[in-house]
């Protein structure tokens, strides 16, 4: 017989392929291990195409950000927005001018607080929606104002993308892996597999939408204009460059070829940026029929209803989301907030306890649990919840917790504790308008009228959408006999909240008084 060759002495036969190890690490999403294998192989052979492919994919996944979530608009986008179709749209037709009428069975503005941009709070913090400036409060000052009082928004959205791209390049040992400026993109466009990973790398790692659009344009031509994937990437690139109408065309074309969840969400984002909420809702509804049970479509539509102050429709959608996905944190939190503000703290408590069981453990949740326990008359649990909230709190949210401790102290009649809590809230966050307003009320009770007026004025300057400091200042001026000043303040309060009964009553008394004169 023929003797078999003994290959035990050959080390290459015993060594597992680096390519196989890298692929397995990529499958497990162990990206650091994958990079190590790729770097080792590319040091031996820099022209190894399969390792180049795996490393490019790995770096893309490492820097991937879910861009279906609408990011915060920059100052430039707000001030230089050329897409607005009407300077003063009708209430309820634009995200810049939500509806102001209170719906039947829904809490009004006096019960449900508003964000710094004048929108009702929704129970869940989202990018973009809470900071969009309103039509009548525009101007340069409104554009620069950030999510919380005392903060500013970024100058441009794309500027942040550039910084992310620069950071990811600096994090790489030995400089950037691919120098996109030196590549011949036409050559890559003729090789679809490599072109696709390169396009995603340029978009998500280098954050260079201009080059991504260039590559996608060449590849679309080579694919005969009928490849949905390239149209989708072109739309993404155009969206990041701010060319919203071009992005709209590409996403529509991509969906017409092959409907995908990502393209549908991106098209809705385009309409939100164009301030066309009705079009965005149409896109979400079309997505709901194409992808039944896809909660992102239902949540997207619910968010728009919230932004337009149409809470009833939003609540119905959140209930629908929970039928499909009982562990959706956003829907549970929004339902909890809705029941709390419609005077059902016991039901709200069940929703927040559900979040606690799911493993959510943060300041906001314990704060909300404390408030629910207090209004549901479970006083023994209230202080424990606030203690947990303060243990987990940082400088961003500690002021809100102390403000709520002050509210609870007023509820049990301990005004000294309330005053201390509001003073601590103001010391943590000097721009906490609500605390200044409540300190003003306590100062009035203690007979410190001048200090109270100063606190009301500060509260109004910090949060000009709130009606409470204006009404309190008007009432104080009325009692001091300053009727003209009282009338001016109460008019401003009614601008912010037209249905405020106390302000309407005060204005009636003032008008009656002026008529007698």
């Amino acid at each position: 017989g023929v003797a078999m060759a003994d290959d035990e002495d050959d080390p290459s036969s015993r060594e597992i392929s680096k390519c196989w190890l890298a692929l397995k690490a990529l499958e497990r999403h162990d990206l650091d291990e994958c990079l190590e294998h790729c770097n080792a192989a590319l040091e031996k052979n820099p022209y190894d195409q399969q390792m180049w492919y795996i490393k490019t994919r790995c770096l893309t996944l490492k820097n991937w950000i879910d861009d279906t979530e609408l990011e915060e608009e920059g100052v430039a986008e707000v001030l230089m927005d050329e897409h607005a179709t009407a300077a003063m749209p009708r209430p309820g037709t634009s995200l810049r001018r939500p509806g102001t009428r209170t719906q039947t069975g829904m809490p009004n503005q006096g019960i449900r607080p508003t964000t710094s941009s004048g929108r009702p709070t929704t129970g869940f913090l989202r990018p973009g929606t809470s900071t969009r400036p309103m039509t009548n409060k525009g101007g340069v000052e409104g554009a620069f104002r950030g999510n919380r009082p005392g903060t500013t928004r970024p100058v441009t959205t794309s500027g942040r993308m550039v910084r992310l791209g620069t950071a990811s390049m600096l994090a790489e040992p030995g400089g950037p892996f691919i120098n996109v400026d030196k590549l011949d993109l036409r050559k890559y466009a003729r090789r679809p597999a490599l072109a696709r990973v390169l396009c995603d790398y340029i978009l998500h790692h280098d954050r260079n939408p201009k080059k991504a659009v260039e590559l996608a344009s060449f590849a679309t031509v080579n694919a005969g204009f009928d490849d949905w994937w390239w149209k989708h990437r072109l739309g993404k690139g155009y969206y990041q460059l701010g060319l919203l109408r071009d992005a709209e065309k590409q996403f529509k074309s991509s969906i017409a070829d092959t409907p995908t969840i990502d393209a549908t969400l991106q098209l809705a984002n385009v309409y939100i940026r164009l301030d066309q909420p009705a079009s965005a809702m149409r896109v979400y509804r079309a997505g709901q029929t194409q992808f039944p049970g896809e909660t992102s479509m239902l949540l997207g539509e619910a968010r728009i209803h919230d932004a337009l102050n149409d809470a009833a429709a939003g609540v119905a959608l959140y209930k629908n989301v929970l039928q499909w996905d009982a562990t959706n944190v956003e829907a549970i939190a929004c339902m909890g907030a809705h029941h709390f503000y419609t005077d059902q703290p016991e039901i709200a408590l069940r929703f927040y306890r559900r979040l606690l069981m799911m493993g959510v453990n943060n300041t906001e949740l314990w704060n909300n649990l404390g408030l629910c326990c207090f209004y549901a008359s479970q006083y023994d649990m209230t202080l424990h919840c606030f203690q947990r909230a303060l243990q987990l709190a940082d400088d961003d949210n500690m002021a809100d917790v102390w403000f709520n401790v002050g509210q609870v102290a007023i509820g049990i009649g301990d005004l000294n504790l309330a005053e201390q809590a509001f003073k601590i809230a103001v010391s943590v966050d000097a721009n906490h308008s609500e605390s200044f307003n409540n300190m003003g009320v306590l100062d009035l009770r203690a007979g410190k009228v001048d200090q109270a007026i100063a606190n009301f004025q500060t509260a109004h300057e910090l949060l000009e959408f709130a009606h409470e400091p204006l009404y309190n200042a008007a009432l104080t001026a009325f009692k001091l006999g300053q009727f003209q000043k009282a009338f001016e303040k109460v008019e401003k309060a009614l601008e912010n909240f037209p249905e405020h009964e106390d302000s309407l009553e005060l204005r009636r008394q003032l008008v009656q008084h002026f008529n007698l004169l």
Side-chain angles (χ1 to χ4, degrees):
V2 179
M4 295 294 289
D6 185 13
D7 60 352
E8 277 188 22
D9 298 329
D10 182 12
S12 62
S13 63
R14 292 197 304 272
E15 194 177 296
I16 300 172
S17 161
K18 289 272 186 223
C19 179
W20 186 86
L21 287 170
L23 269 174
K24 282 292 159 194
L26 191 65
E27 274 177 30
R28 293 195 308 274
H29 220 75
D30 188 347
L31 302 178
D32 291 327
E33 188 191 323
C34 178
L35 276 178
E36 280 174 26
H37 293 309
C38 291
N39 289 337
L42 287 167
E43 271 174 29
K44 289 181 184 173
N45 177 13
Y47 300 104
D48 187 338
Q49 281 192 18
Q50 56 187 357
M51 292 312 274
W52 183 92
Y53 179 98
I54 296 167
K55 185 175 178 182
T56 308
R57 190 89 196 97
C58 181
L59 287 170
T60 305
L61 288 172
K62 206 170 181 185
N63 294 281
W64 189 282
I65 292 173
D66 181 10
D67 48 10
T68 56
E69 287 287 341
L70 192 71
E71 72 290 332
E72 193 176 320
E73 289 180 343
V75 177
E77 282 93 342
V78 173
L79 285 179
M80 301 172 187
D81 183 13
E82 295 172 356
H83 303 291
T85 48
M88 287 294 283
R90 283 179 299 137
T93 61
S94 162
L95 293 168
R96 293 179 187 277
R97 198 151 183 231
T100 50
R101 292 180 63 188
T102 305
Q103 296 167 308
T104 315
M106 290 292 143
N108 65 26
Q109 204 177 322
I111 297 167
R112 190 164 195 162
T114 55
T115 63
S116 61
S117 57
R119 303 180 182 287
T121 49
T122 55
F124 194 82
L125 190 63
R126 308 172 181 124
T129 53
S130 56
T131 54
R132 187 183 288 270
M134 312 251 277
T135 311
N136 54 345
K137 308 287 183 186
V140 178
E141 243 179 83
F144 272 93
R145 192 172 294 124
N147 191 11
R148 290 179 59 79
T151 61
T152 56
R153 64 173 70 234
V155 178
T156 61
T157 313
S158 56
R160 178 185 287 162
M161 290 292 184
V162 170
R163 286 198 300 280
L164 282 169
T166 314
S168 57
M169 283 178 191
L170 288 171
E172 281 179 47
F177 170 51
I178 300 170
N179 190 342
V180 180
D181 294 322
K182 292 182 180 175
L183 292 181
D184 180 4
L185 297 178
R186 286 176 193 275
K187 186 181 86 176
Y188 278 91
R190 289 193 288 273
R191 306 172 72 176
L194 289 180
R196 288 188 182 203
V197 289
L198 181 61
C199 184
D200 273 349
Y201 175 88
I202 297 168
L203 271 175
H204 292 281
H205 181 275
D206 284 6
R207 309 277 169 192
N208 187 347
K210 194 168 164 226
K211 282 287 177 188
V213 164
E214 200 179 320
L215 174 60
S217 304
F218 293 143
T220 310
V221 173
N222 285 339
F225 298 99
D226 61 356
D227 189 327
W228 67 268
W229 195 92
W230 285 112
K231 289 175 184 174
H232 180 226
R233 290 305 184 272
L234 260 178
K236 265 192 181 184
Y238 283 137
Y239 178 79
Q240 287 183 19
L241 289 168
L243 303 168
L244 301 179
R245 287 297 179 191
D246 295 310
E248 179 196 5
K249 280 179 201 162
Q250 295 299 335
F251 287 134
K252 276 184 170 175
S253 181
S254 174
I255 292 166
D257 287 349
T258 306
T260 57
I261 294 166
D262 199 36
T264 309
L265 294 173
Q266 295 272 12
L267 179 60
N269 280 354
V270 169
Y271 285 126
I272 292 169
R273 280 285 286 274
L274 287 168
D275 196 16
Q276 295 179 5
S279 300
M281 284 196 279
R282 274 198 298 275
V283 171
Y284 283 130
R285 282 176 194 147
Q288 286 162 33
T289 52
Q290 280 170 336
F291 308 104
E294 179 51 48
T295 52
S296 55
M297 304 290 171
L298 296 162
L299 283 173
E301 194 186 340
R303 288 176 180 187
I304 293 176
H305 283 299
D306 276 346
L308 294 174
N309 208 358
D310 182 7
V315 166
L317 285 161
Y318 290 128
K319 284 180 180 172
N320 197 353
V321 169
L322 289 175
Q323 283 177 352
W324 288 102
D325 176 9
T327 59
N328 188 288
V329 175
E330 181 171 349
I332 295 171
C334 291
M335 287 302 297
H338 164 70
H339 284 296
F340 178 79
Y341 288 120
T342 47
D343 211 15
Q344 297 170 313
E346 295 88 358
I347 300 174
L349 195 57
R350 282 172 57 192
F351 281 102
Y352 289 128
R353 273 173 53 203
R354 165 84 177 160
L355 286 177
L356 206 58
M357 288 172 198
M358 282 164 52
V360 179
N361 182 37
N362 57 24
T363 307
E364 290 80 8
L365 180 57
W366 283 108
N367 174 69
N368 291 355
L369 281 165
L371 285 173
C372 288
C373 287
F374 178 71
Y375 288 109
S377 303
Q378 298 180 16
Y379 301 120
D380 53 335
M381 288 296 296
T382 304
L383 284 175
H384 288 300
C385 291
F386 280 123
Q387 279 172 347
R388 292 290 286 271
L390 287 168
Q391 281 168 7
L392 294 166
D394 56 23
D395 287 350
D396 285 341
N397 49 27
M398 192 180 279
D400 289 330
V401 181
W402 277 112
F403 169 75
N404 286 319
V405 170
Q407 290 283 74
V408 168
I410 289 172
I412 59 173
D414 190 344
L415 299 185
N416 289 330
L417 171 61
E419 192 173 355
Q420 274 185 311
F422 294 137
K423 281 181 177 172
I424 294 170
V426 168
S427 70
V428 174
D429 178 3
N431 297 302
H432 203 262
S433 161
E434 295 89 348
S435 295
F436 276 110
N437 177 63
N438 287 10
M439 274 164 58
V441 175
L442 292 174
D443 286 336
L444 266 185
R445 284 181 68 94
K448 303 173 188 170
V449 179
D450 292 340
Q451 204 171 324
I453 292 169
N455 278 332
F456 294 143
Q457 184 59 32
T458 308
H460 169 59
E461 285 167 6
L462 291 171
L463 197 64
E464 56 193 46
F465 299 102
H467 65 278
E468 294 98 333
L470 287 165
Y471 169 73
N472 291 338
L475 192 61
T476 309
F478 179 71
K479 285 180 177 174
L480 292 171
Q482 301 167 357
F483 299 126
Q484 184 59 42
K485 187 178 176 184
F487 188 74
E488 285 167 13
K489 293 280 184 190
V490 84
E491 282 289 305
K492 283 183 185 172
L494 285 166
E495 261 180 51
N496 288 349
F497 182 21
E499 298 168 24
H500 189 224
E501 272 302 320
D502 294 338
S503 295
L504 290 167
E505 176 58 34
L506 181 58
R507 189 172 67 174
R508 272 196 293 273
Q509 286 185 25
L510 284 163
V511 168
Q512 200 176 345
H513 182 80
F514 291 147
N515 287 339
L516 288 172
L517 292 173

